[in-house]
């Protein structure tokens, strides 16, 4: 008894207090409570923790009406749902091998479930399935029982587990006992399938989704419909990437270099909209490995001249886990590595057929080389593999080798590394389509998908229209802009220029110098042209103090050394700190010197700098460079007329801060590269054209910004927002912002609640930390570019005009969202920005809010065009990208996780960024 009580003290002590009688079996039952409470007992009042009300996205406030009406088409296809009274039944799927081990092979699940479906049709009451390929399966109406178990046998399974059992007579060979290998359990092709009832989803939830009554059920019901689309594509042999599907058709492949192909497919998903349920179909592109001979892929990937110049260490990393077929069998294998020795030297033990067993009872073997085995025992002619490594498809302790030339890469294998700059530009060039061409591709995709034949869609009573949705849009007028000398002008078709115009607020450049990192150009005439061009735009530029040419002996040194040496020379010769340094780089894109040079100037010395690669320099190029220099030095190129005579609705009357927030992540597969959060903020209210940026690192792949409020003591906050608020206060005539408008980029719909409840809370805390009584009003807007809605002008080959806005039909049935194409789409099909208004405490009218968003696309100082997303968001992206370049050359060996494999996010210490020098901290250094 004592042991029992000691072993469960919590249970016995608490039993009398809160009825938690865990582990008190065997004790006397508690007495019943007294019937009457004595009069002298004062009940204690339990104070519940005040529950914080969670913010949810606001509902739409009505439709806007400003602008000229325009008839448009969209790539949404109306869906009729005739069945709303049934239920989807959700079953969880458990797949195991005979011996009870879980099946972990991707793609095997679908084969197994298809086999269950065809084998046990009667036991399943003839029901069709929607299976997600992993743990979930859905039916319309219930299966006969809540729990069902089946056993199926598959003839030929290729999965992660099973690399084929490679005995010599199957085309490969093994250097161990084959019989033993055959008995290993994971070569059995028998599977156990367990289906257990998990949930019931009313089909009525689809109608709820269309009405905007979002619940877990409505989200789930649309997910079931999307799973049906995925399954339909999987049955057609497509590669599936979330809701995008790619057919194995070489007509859809385009070579982007480096052994990588762009593969064109299409995105297909159901969406609840104001116009009802619609199917959104769009063209989608993913990257795949060039199929065919492995050697051809390696030569292309490494830009090698022939197989003998391939870097095999690099090849081993590139090939790992790719799937191949060999010319000697029709089986698929997964590459696990390469042989240590060339084919002609790599030995293995070949079993002697017809020879008995030796004294130990083992089959007699002889040592042969892989080359010898294939050429002499199999009679296969090998032309060039003899001196090259073999492909290993076996286990580390049990290798299985094939000569290189017998191996071909299977088609539709995704390439997930980041593309190089030339690959990216090649992809953009080859995959863009004019609006008309895109519409034809989409119509064809819908027809060839043949959704009418999908039994699951039929059993849901779903019929999909083949017509593009017809929509009414509106085209807003371009805002009036101001140039120098009080001149007003209107942009035309989203564009303008500074021919015969002066900049509205030009700077004067008197202390400056040029540094030349071995760019081949005539520096003297470049400087002369720059001064002349500046004069025409109103920027007075004195001749530079000097031109510093890089010393020949450092040209092959590492980037950090080259930058340091150049700085030493500049410091030695300049009489004082320059106002500005013009830096000439040898390459335009991805120059290794860029990051270290920027960091040196901005973080260590506080010098404004402009880099350029003087290739094809003309007046237009110099004007663009001058626009950037002027903005960085504190000037303004053009501004909105409504800024100068402050008359921006809601913004000009009361001090208003505008924020742009973005997080940029390292390329895929790098868990050790921190994500970079940038928050850009307006300054000098009532202007909305001047900004500064605050940039911090945070955990890799973390999307929520975690340094907005960073309390380090009772009096100190080192967060981003405090820095921004103080700058606004000092630059706006000692006035605190009473209104804060936040534009957030890069978050998906599933993260909206986090932006509203986590990030916004931090921002409010930062305000309260500065002044407890301060209670600004907030507007929170998410800007999304990563979506699949496009708009077309019926009967016109052109893109929609700049200023086009859509807030009906394909927009959300309840939430406050709209699409805007502020820019003129010059190439390809315009991608609209999808704005979601999550919160509006200021009380904007829909017209005024859309007008403000439109105007903010015209204050981008780097170009003379309207841009596709509000400028503060674009600036945040630029600031994060530029500062990210600083990290590229940091010594991250201590923080790198490459030695110990992948580590969990957050386990790696995040390297801190050096802060900008205060002389440039409030500048538009990112321009």
């Amino acid at each position: 008894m004592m042991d029992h009580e000691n072993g469960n003290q919590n249970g016995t002590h608490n039993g009398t207090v809160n009825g938690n009688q865990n582990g008190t079996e065997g004790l006397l039952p508690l007495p019943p409570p007294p019937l009457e409470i004595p009069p002298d007992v004062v009940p204690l009042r339990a104070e519940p923790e005040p529950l914080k009300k969670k913010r949810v996205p606001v509902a739409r406030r009505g439709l806007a009406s400003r602008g000229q009406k325009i008839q448009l088409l969209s790539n949404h296809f109306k869906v009729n749902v005739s069945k709303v009274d049934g239920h989807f039944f959700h079953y969880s799927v458990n797949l195991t091998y005979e011996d009870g081990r879980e099946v972990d092979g991707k793609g095997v699940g679908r084969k197994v479930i298809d086999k269950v479906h065809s084998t046990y049709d009667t036991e399943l009451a003839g029901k069709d399935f929607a299976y997600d390929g992993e743990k979930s399966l859905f039916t319309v109406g219930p299966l006969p029982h809540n729990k069902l178990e089946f056993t199926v046998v598959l003839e030929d399974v290729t999965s992660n587990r099973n690399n084929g059992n490679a005995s010599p007579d199957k085309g490969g060979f093994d250097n161990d006992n084959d019989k033993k290998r055959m008995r290993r359990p994971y070569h059995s092709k028998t599977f156990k399938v367990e289906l257990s009832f998990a949930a019931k989803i009313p089909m009525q939830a689809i109608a709820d989704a269309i009405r905007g009554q979002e619940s877990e059920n409505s989200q789930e019901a649309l997910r079931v419909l999307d799973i049906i689309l995925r399954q339909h594509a999987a049955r057609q042999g497509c590669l599936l990437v979330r809701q995008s599907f790619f057919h194995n058709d070489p007509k859809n492949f385009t070579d982007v270099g480096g052994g990588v192909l762009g593969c064109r497919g299409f995105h297909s998903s159901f969406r609840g909209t104001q116009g009802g349920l619609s199917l959104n179909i769009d063209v989608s592109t993913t990257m795949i490995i060039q199929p065919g001979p492995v050697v051809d892929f390696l030569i292309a990937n490494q830009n090698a001249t022939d197989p003998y110049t391939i870097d095999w260490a690099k090849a081993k990393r590139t090939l790992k886990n790719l799937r191949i077929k060999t010319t000697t069998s029709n089986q698929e294998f997964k590459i696990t590595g390469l042989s240590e020795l060339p084919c002609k030297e790599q030995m293995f033990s070949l079993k002697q057929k017809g020879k008995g067993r030796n004294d130990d009872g083992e089959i007699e073997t002889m040592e042969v080389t892989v080359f010898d085995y294939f050429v002499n025992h199999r009679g296969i002619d090998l032309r060039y593999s003899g001196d090259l490594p073999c492909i290993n498809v076996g286990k580390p302790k049990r290798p299985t080798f094939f000569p290189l030339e017998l191996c071909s890469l299977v088609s539709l294998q995704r390439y997930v590394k980041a593309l190089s700059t030339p690959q990216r530009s090649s992809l953009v060039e080859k995959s863009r389509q004019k609006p008309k061409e895109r519409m034809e591709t989409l119509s064809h995709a819908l027809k060839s998908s043949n959704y009418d034949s999908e039994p699951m869609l039929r059993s849901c009573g779903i019929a999909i229209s083949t017509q593009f949705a017809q929509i009414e849009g509106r085209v807003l007028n371009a805002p009036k802009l101001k140039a120098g000398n009080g001149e007003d002008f209107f942009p035309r078709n989203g564009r303008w220029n500074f021919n015969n115009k002066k900049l509205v607020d030009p700077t004067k450049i008197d202390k400056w110098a040029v540094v030349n990192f071995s760019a081949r150009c005539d520096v003297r005439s470049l400087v002369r042209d720059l001064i002349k061009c500046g004069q025409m735009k109103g920027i007075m530029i004195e001749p530079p103090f000097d031109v510093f040419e890089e010393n020949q002996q450092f040209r092959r040194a590492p980037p950090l050394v080259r930058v340091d040496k150049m700085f030493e020379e500049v410091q030695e010769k300049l009489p004082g700190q320059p106002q500005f340094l013009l830096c000439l780089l040898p390459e335009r894109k991805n120059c290794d010197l860029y990051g270290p040079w920027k960091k040196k100037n901005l973080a260590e010395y506080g010098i404004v700098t402009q880099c350029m690669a003087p290739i094809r320099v003309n007046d237009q190029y110099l004007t663009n460079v001058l626009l950037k220099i002027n903005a960085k030095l504190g000037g303004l190129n053009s501004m909105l007329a409504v800024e100068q005579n402050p008359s921006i609705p809601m913004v000009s009357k009361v001090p208003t801060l505008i924020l742009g927030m973005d997080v940029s992540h390292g390329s895929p597969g790098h868990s050790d590269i921190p994500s970079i959060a940038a928050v850009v903020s307006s300054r000098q209210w009532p202007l909305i054209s001047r900004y500064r940026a605050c940039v911090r690192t945070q955990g890799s792949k973390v999307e929520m910004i975690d340094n907005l409020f960073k309390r380090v003591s009772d009096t100190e906050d080192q967060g981003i927002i405090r820095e921004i608020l103080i700058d606004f206060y000092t630059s706006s005539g000692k006035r605190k912002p009473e209104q804060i408008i936040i534009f957030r980029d890069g978050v998906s719909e599933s993260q909206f609640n986090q932006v509203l409840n986590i990030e916004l809370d931090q921002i409010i805390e930062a305000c309260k930390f500065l002044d407890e009584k301060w209670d600004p009003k907030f507007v929170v807007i998410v800007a999304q570019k990563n979506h699949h809605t496009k708009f077309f002008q019926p009967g016109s080959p052109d893109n929609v005009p700049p200023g086009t806005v859509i807030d009906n039909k394909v927009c959300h049935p309840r939430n406050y969202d709209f699409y805007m194409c502020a820019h003129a789409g010059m190439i390809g099909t315009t991608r609209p920005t999808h704005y979601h208004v999550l919160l509006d405490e200021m009380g904007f009218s829909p017209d005024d809010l859309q007008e403000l968003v439109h105007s903010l696309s015209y204050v981008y100082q780097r170009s003379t065009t309207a841009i596709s997303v509000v400028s503060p968001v674009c600036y945040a992206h630029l600031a994060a990208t530029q500062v990210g370049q600083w990290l590229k050359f940091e010594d991250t060996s201590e923080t790198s996780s490459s030695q110990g494999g992948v580590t969990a996010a957050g386990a790696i210490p995040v390297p801190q960024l050096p802060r900008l020098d205060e002389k440039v901290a409030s500048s538009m250094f990112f321009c």
Side-chain angles (χ1 to χ4, degrees):
M1 189 62 189
M2 278 308 290
D3 290 349
H4 176 80
E5 281 192 28
N6 289 346
N8 199 340
Q9 284 182 336
N10 290 356
T12 48
H13 287 332
N14 295 346
T16 52
V17 181
N18 59 14
N20 178 4
Q21 295 183 21
N22 295 351
T24 56
E25 307 94 73
L27 295 178
L28 293 172
L30 295 172
L35 292 175
E36 279 184 34
I37 297 169
D40 56 344
V41 170
V42 180
L44 288 173
R45 181 174 180 149
E47 286 292 338
E49 281 279 304
L51 266 179
K52 205 159 160 276
K53 204 169 164 220
K54 279 193 87 157
R55 301 182 192 94
V56 294
V58 295
R60 186 180 298 283
R61 287 231 173 102
L63 300 175
S65 57
R66 233 172 262 165
Q68 196 172 347
K69 289 187 171 44
I70 181 174
Q71 294 308 310
L72 300 171
L73 297 174
S74 177
N75 58 341
H76 283 242
F77 298 85
K78 188 158 178 49
V79 177
N80 284 320
V81 188
S82 57
K83 185 170 181 175
V84 287
D85 50 356
H87 284 82
F88 289 122
F89 279 71
H90 176 190
Y91 295 88
S92 63
V93 178
N94 189 28
L95 296 183
T96 53
Y97 294 100
E98 266 180 311
D99 62 356
R101 279 172 317 99
E102 286 219 6
V103 175
D104 64 355
K106 272 214 167 98
V108 180
R110 288 193 191 275
K111 292 179 189 169
V112 174
I113 294 295
D114 281 348
K115 187 74 188 236
V116 168
H117 190 251
S118 57
T119 315
Y120 295 100
D121 194 44
T122 36
E123 288 84 339
L124 296 164
K127 288 270 179 224
D128 287 307
F129 293 163
Y131 175 51
D132 71 351
E134 291 182 20
K135 296 279 184 198
S136 294
L137 183 145
F138 300 87
T139 57
V140 176
L143 294 173
H145 303 285
N146 276 354
K147 193 159 191 173
L148 292 156
E149 289 187 7
F150 304 103
T151 304
V152 290
V153 179
L154 283 194
E155 296 318 309
D156 171 34
V157 187
T158 307
S159 78
N160 294 4
R161 275 230 166 255
N162 175 13
N163 295 317
N165 96 70
S167 56
D169 44 16
K170 287 258 177 81
F173 56 93
D174 200 311
N175 47 6
D176 205 30
N177 185 327
D178 259 29
K179 287 279 193 325
K180 242 170 40 194
R181 212 163 164 197
M182 290 293 283
R183 285 201 302 274
R184 285 171 75 92
Y186 51 75
H187 285 294
S188 72
K189 310 267 194 331
T190 306
F191 296 87
K192 281 183 172 169
V193 182
E194 203 177 87
L195 303 180
S196 336
F197 171 74
K200 193 164 133 180
I201 305 157
M203 286 169 124
Q204 182 61 39
I206 299 173
D208 295 345
I210 299 166
R211 285 200 300 274
Q213 298 171 352
E214 289 205 353
S215 64
E216 201 131 311
N217 270 344
S218 63
Q219 289 297 317
E220 238 351 56
L222 290 186
R223 187 170 89 93
V224 177
L225 296 182
D226 282 345
I227 285 169
I228 297 172
L229 297 181
R230 280 176 65 82
Q231 173 176 282
H232 185 74
R235 286 188 177 146
Q236 295 176 341
C238 290
L239 163 66
L240 310 182
V241 183
R242 292 180 293 280
Q243 283 301 128
S244 292
F245 316 130
F246 304 91
H247 286 271
N248 188 11
D249 179 354
K251 284 208 301 288
N252 299 333
F253 301 163
T254 170
D255 189 350
V256 300
V260 181
L261 308 180
C263 174
R264 179 180 287 170
F266 62 94
H267 164 94
S268 183
S269 66
F270 287 100
R271 295 191 72 80
T273 67
Q274 289 173 34
L277 188 64
S278 73
L279 179 69
N280 177 206
I281 294 191
D282 192 22
V283 174
S284 186
T285 304
T286 193
M287 310 317 300
I288 62 170
I289 298 279
Q290 171 186 310
V294 171
V295 70
D296 292 354
F297 163 70
L298 289 175
I299 287 172
N301 182 252
Q302 299 191 8
N303 202 7
T305 45
D306 56 53
Y308 306 104
T309 54
I310 289 170
D311 172 345
W312 291 104
K314 190 175 170 194
K316 185 176 175 178
R317 290 195 301 273
T318 312
L319 292 175
K320 194 165 169 57
N321 292 335
L322 292 180
R323 298 190 319 278
I324 55 162
K325 274 195 167 164
T326 61
T327 47
T328 55
S329 80
N330 196 30
Q331 215 169 353
E332 263 188 34
F333 301 98
K334 188 196 247 183
I335 299 177
T336 53
L338 299 174
S339 62
E340 296 290 317
L341 299 168
C343 187
K344 277 184 176 163
E345 296 169 33
Q346 183 67 48
M347 308 292 284
F348 76 101
S349 308
L350 174 65
K351 281 169 229 102
Q352 298 284 78
K353 284 197 177 159
K355 293 265 178 84
R357 295 177 179 260
N358 62 16
D359 299 341
D360 299 332
E362 289 176 352
I363 293 176
E364 294 265 342
T365 60
M366 63 183 271
E367 292 293 304
V368 294
T369 65
V370 177
F371 187 82
D372 181 30
Y373 167 73
F374 276 93
V375 173
N376 300 326
H377 292 253
R378 299 289 301 277
I380 295 169
D381 181 28
L382 296 179
R383 290 174 302 122
Y384 60 80
S385 299
D387 301 319
L388 305 175
C390 304
I391 299 273
N392 181 7
V393 297
K395 296 278 186 290
K397 296 241 166 61
R398 196 183 280 278
T400 304
F401 296 121
F402 284 104
L404 193 68
E405 69 192 79
L406 302 185
C407 302
S408 276
L409 288 160
V410 174
S411 192
L412 292 185
Q413 299 192 70
R414 280 186 78 196
Y415 178 81
V416 289
K417 293 191 179 72
L419 293 182
S420 66
T421 306
Q423 282 174 325
R424 190 175 291 120
S425 40
S426 169
L427 176 68
V428 168
E429 196 178 315
K430 290 175 178 175
S431 60
R432 59 178 173 231
Q433 290 178 299
K434 285 278 180 209
K436 212 167 177 182
E437 192 189 340
R438 180 163 286 223
M439 284 180 79
E440 284 161 11
T441 307
L442 294 177
S443 295
H444 176 70
L446 183 57
K447 278 196 191 75
S448 64
S449 299
N450 195 12
Y451 287 135
D452 296 346
S453 70
E454 172 54 55
M456 274 299 284
L457 289 179
R458 278 212 301 273
S459 51
C460 302
I462 277 181
I464 299 165
S465 158
T466 55
Q467 302 298 309
F468 284 76
Q470 295 186 345
I471 291 164
E472 188 175 81
R474 291 167 293 110
V475 182
L476 302 179
N477 290 329
K480 189 182 352 175
L481 299 182
K482 278 218 163 303
N485 299 338
E487 189 184 340
D488 290 355
F489 63 96
F490 283 99
R492 294 183 53 179
N493 195 28
R495 311 177 77 77
W496 64 96
N497 61 51
F498 280 106
N499 296 349
N500 310 320
K501 291 188 191 76
K502 298 263 195 285
L503 305 183
V504 70
D505 178 11
T507 49
K508 187 171 188 302
I509 305 174
D510 42 23
K511 289 197 292 206
W512 70 292
V514 183
V515 300
N516 182 13
F517 284 103
S518 61
R520 285 196 280 286
C521 75
D522 178 352
V523 182
R524 297 276 174 266
S525 60
L526 176 72
V527 167
R528 190 185 60 234
D529 293 346
L530 193 70
I531 291 172
K532 189 169 137 203
C533 191
Q535 212 167 359
M536 289 163 70
K537 305 288 172 273
I539 303 176
M540 300 320 288
I541 309 176
E542 296 293 325
F545 176 82
D546 203 348
V547 175
F548 297 94
E549 296 282 352
E550 183 175 36
N551 189 324
Q552 293 281 355
Q553 71 188 74
F554 300 126
R555 287 199 181 172
R556 297 230 172 330
L560 292 165
V561 174
R562 292 175 71 182
V563 166
D564 283 347
K565 293 292 179 196
M566 181 65 89
F567 240 90
E568 281 169 21
E569 199 181 336
V570 171
Q571 274 181 304
E572 210 175 288
K573 295 194 179 157
L574 282 186
Q577 173 144 336
Q579 180 189 2
F580 165 70
L581 286 176
L582 180 67
C583 171
L584 307 182
L585 296 175
E587 303 100 28
R588 193 167 268 189
K589 293 274 191 222
N590 283 0
C591 181
D592 282 351
L593 294 160
Y594 181 84
W597 175 257
K598 287 283 182 187
K599 183 181 164 209
K600 193 81 161 166
N601 279 270
L602 297 171
E604 294 179 29
Y605 289 94
I607 299 171
V608 170
T609 176
Q610 174 64 48
C611 295
M612 65 185 278
I615 309 155
R616 294 193 300 279
V617 174
N618 55 24
D619 263 10
Q620 183 59 58
Y621 181 79
L622 289 175
T623 301
N624 289 346
V625 168
L626 282 165
L627 294 181
K628 286 153 67 76
I629 294 170
N630 191 48
K632 286 174 183 180
L633 288 170
L636 267 185
N637 303 326
S638 61
M639 64 196 292
L640 301 166
V642 288
E643 281 180 276
Q644 205 170 34
N645 54 354
S647 56
I648 305 166
M650 314 290 290
V651 173
S652 298
K653 288 193 175 67
V654 178
T656 304
L657 169 67
I658 298 176
L659 302 180
M661 309 197 331
D662 184 33
V663 177
S664 83
H665 304 292
S667 52
H670 288 281
S671 64
D672 53 344
I673 295 180
S675 292
I676 295 179
V679 182
V680 159
S681 56
S682 61
R683 50 200 313 268
Q684 295 181 14
W685 175 83
L687 293 183
I688 60 170
S689 287
R690 286 192 201 275
Y691 293 86
R692 75 190 296 278
C694 188
V695 187
R696 304 277 173 92
T697 47
Q698 56 185 41
S700 179
K701 308 285 184 281
V702 175
E703 185 49 64
M704 290 299 121
I705 300 178
D706 63 6
N707 277 318
L708 294 168
F709 175 63
K710 193 177 177 186
R711 181 177 179 154
V712 288
S713 72
D714 286 351
T715 53
E716 199 185 352
D717 159 23
Q718 290 179 354
I720 293 172
I721 296 299
R722 181 190 177 89
E723 186 182 314
I724 281 167
L725 294 172
I726 290 169
D727 175 80
F728 182 90
Y729 180 77
T730 52
S731 71
S732 306
K734 303 257 188 302
R735 300 191 64 172
K736 289 181 196 155
E738 291 174 37
Q739 303 174 146
I740 299 177
I741 301 172
I742 299 164
F743 287 97
R744 178 67 161 94
D745 187 28
V747 290
S748 62
E749 280 152 63
S750 61
Q751 296 165 314
F752 286 179
N753 283 332
Q754 288 171 281
V755 170
L756 268 182
N757 293 291
I758 299 172
E759 288 187 342
L760 183 56
D761 274 357
Q762 282 195 48
I763 293 170
I764 292 169
E765 272 190 87
C767 295
K768 297 282 186 202
F769 198 77
L770 274 170
D771 177 355
E772 187 57 48
K773 298 193 193 69
W774 183 17
D775 205 4
K777 291 179 176 162
F778 287 93
V779 173
V780 179
I781 301 172
V782 168
Q784 282 180 341
K785 291 290 296 271
N786 214 354
H787 60 83
H788 289 278
T789 297
K790 300 285 189 297
F791 299 104
F792 306 93
Q793 293 197 65
S796 163
D798 296 332
N799 270 309
V800 297
T804 299
V805 61
I806 295 99
D807 60 3
N808 61 57
K809 204 80 176 274
V810 294
C811 290
H812 196 279
R814 173 200 171 271
N815 294 356
Y816 189 176
D817 66 333
F818 59 91
Y819 291 92
M820 185 175 286
C821 305
H823 64 303
M826 306 307 287
I827 47 178
T829 304
T830 297
R831 177 182 295 211
T833 299
H834 192 182
Y835 291 100
H836 301 259
V837 183
L838 304 187
L839 179 69
D840 176 12
E841 296 176 340
M842 286 170 64
F844 272 102
S845 73
D847 274 316
D848 284 346
L849 188 64
Q850 289 174 17
E851 200 76 71
L852 175 67
V853 167
H854 186 224
S855 296
L856 282 169
S857 299
Y858 278 83
V859 300
Y860 188 60
Q861 298 298 310
R862 279 166 52 116
S863 73
T864 54
T865 60
I867 56 171
S868 64
V869 65
V870 289
S871 301
V873 156
C874 209
Y875 288 148
H877 193 70
L878 287 174
T881 307
Q882 184 176 131
V883 174
Q885 298 280 334
W886 298 6
L887 281 178
K888 260 191 186 173
F889 298 91
E890 296 295 297
D891 179 19
T892 50
S893 52
E894 294 114 70
T895 59
S896 167
S897 67
S898 53
Q899 282 80 25
V902 180
T903 47
I908 305 159
V910 177
Q912 292 303 303
L913 286 169
R915 291 294 167 90
L916 290 165
D917 184 282
E918 59 183 29
K919 294 189 284 298
V920 291
S922 294
S923 74
M924 291 177 71
F925 70 87
F926 43 80
C927 254

